[in-house]
Amino acid sequence: FWLKPSWVAAQHCWRKRLGLRGPMTEQKDDGDKPKEARKSGYTYWKREIPDADVLPDNKPQKIEGAAATEVDAPTKQPSVGAIWNTAGTWEEKDMSVAARAELEKIFCEESFFLIRGDGTEIRVARATVTGDSQAYSIRGRPRLGFEFRVRLHWKGTFEGAEASGELEIKDLDSSDLDGFEVCPTGKEQHSRASDTLKRDCRSQVKEATEELSRRLLQS
């Protein structure tokens, strides 16, 4: 379009006052062009404000070392509670087969003694465990419950003499580990060993069940 003479004269006057030289050029409308700042990403607004330098840097940072290991490592889940049960509600899992086999193994380990003292060492030669066991997850905390019947064949030395026999626990219940009864049997000459087993091996049996819970719930 053509500028009117009066408008051109006014433009020359203002340019002279402002100390501008050179011919006037027509200002083109760049409304259709994206602003330069927008080319640098969605945070263009951050660099256009006067105090942008005080804002924290939001550039992606590479995680290295221990921090990266912690992020990449999967969260360990309890062996009893299911992954979906994030609310930690009641949950149970049958552990009968595994619990029976593991308790028999614990009884027969070389480090396990029914009684041990001066001239006395009695171990389990063979163990048979029957019954049921369940693992419970209550509010995210695992528990092992069981009702077992245990039969142990024992042998060793009692007061320096060879001895052997059997003992039975009919009601080894996780809800009453102080209330079970030990019923030993043996040859007539080993009656003193049987009586001592009945009186003193209860704490060892209880420790065996505690070891059973540790192994099954932490595996």
Side-chain angles (χ1 to χ4, degrees):
F1 64 93
W2 296 94
L3 297 176
K4 296 181 180 180
S6 59
W7 176 253
V8 175
Q11 287 289 319
H12 279 292
C13 180
W14 280 109
R15 288 174 60 81
K16 185 176 182 180
R17 289 185 181 184
L18 295 174
L20 299 176
R21 296 183 179 181
M24 291 188 298
T25 58
E26 183 181 355
Q27 299 296 322
K28 296 182 180 179
D29 183 12
D30 60 350
D32 295 336
K33 293 183 179 180
K35 293 184 178 180
E36 187 66 24
R38 294 180 181 269
K39 296 180 180 180
S40 56
Y42 66 90
T43 56
Y44 66 90
W45 52 269
K46 176 180 169 183
R47 287 180 288 275
E48 290 180 351
I49 60 177
D51 56 349
D53 59 311
V54 301
L55 297 177
D57 186 11
N58 60 353
K59 293 181 179 180
Q61 301 293 329
K62 184 178 180 180
I63 301 177
E64 298 179 346
T69 303
E70 183 178 352
V71 172
D72 294 337
T75 303
K76 185 178 180 179
Q77 298 290 338
S79 59
V80 177
I83 296 176
W84 57 263
N85 193 4
T86 56
T89 55
W90 177 280
E91 187 178 350
E92 65 180 81
K93 177 181 179 182
D94 182 62
M95 302 287 285
S96 299
V97 175
R100 291 194 297 261
E102 192 64 30
L103 186 56
E104 290 175 355
K105 177 181 176 183
I106 292 171
F107 280 137
C108 295
E109 288 177 349
E110 292 185 3
S111 59
F112 181 81
F113 293 87
L114 287 171
I115 53 175
R116 190 179 189 185
D118 187 18
T120 299
E121 285 189 355
I122 293 183
R123 289 188 175 95
V124 176
R126 186 170 72 256
T128 303
V129 179
T130 58
D132 301 315
S133 176
Q134 292 80 31
Y136 302 94
S137 180
I138 308 172
R139 296 182 182 276
R141 299 181 63 182
R143 301 267 196 292
L144 185 69
F146 51 80
E147 293 180 359
F148 288 145
R149 183 167 184 164
V150 179
R151 191 173 187 87
L152 304 177
H153 298 261
W154 55 269
K155 66 178 182 179
T157 57
F158 181 77
E159 296 180 348
E162 296 291 327
S164 61
E166 296 180 0
L167 66 81
E168 187 176 23
I169 304 172
K170 297 181 180 179
D171 53 354
L172 187 59
D173 192 329
S174 59
S175 64
D176 186 17
L177 287 176
D178 294 320
F180 65 87
E181 183 179 359
V182 178
C183 302
T185 60
K187 297 180 181 180
E188 186 67 26
Q189 65 269 31
H190 300 150
S191 60
R192 289 186 59 194
S194 297
D195 292 341
T196 303
L197 280 169
K198 182 176 181 178
R199 184 183 68 247
D200 296 344
C201 79
R202 292 166 54 86
S203 60
Q204 302 303 316
V205 173
K206 185 177 179 179
E207 287 184 8
T209 62
E210 293 171 350
E211 177 63 19
L212 172 68
S213 295
R214 281 192 292 269
R215 293 186 185 183
L216 293 188
L217 297 180
Q218 296 178 5
S219 61

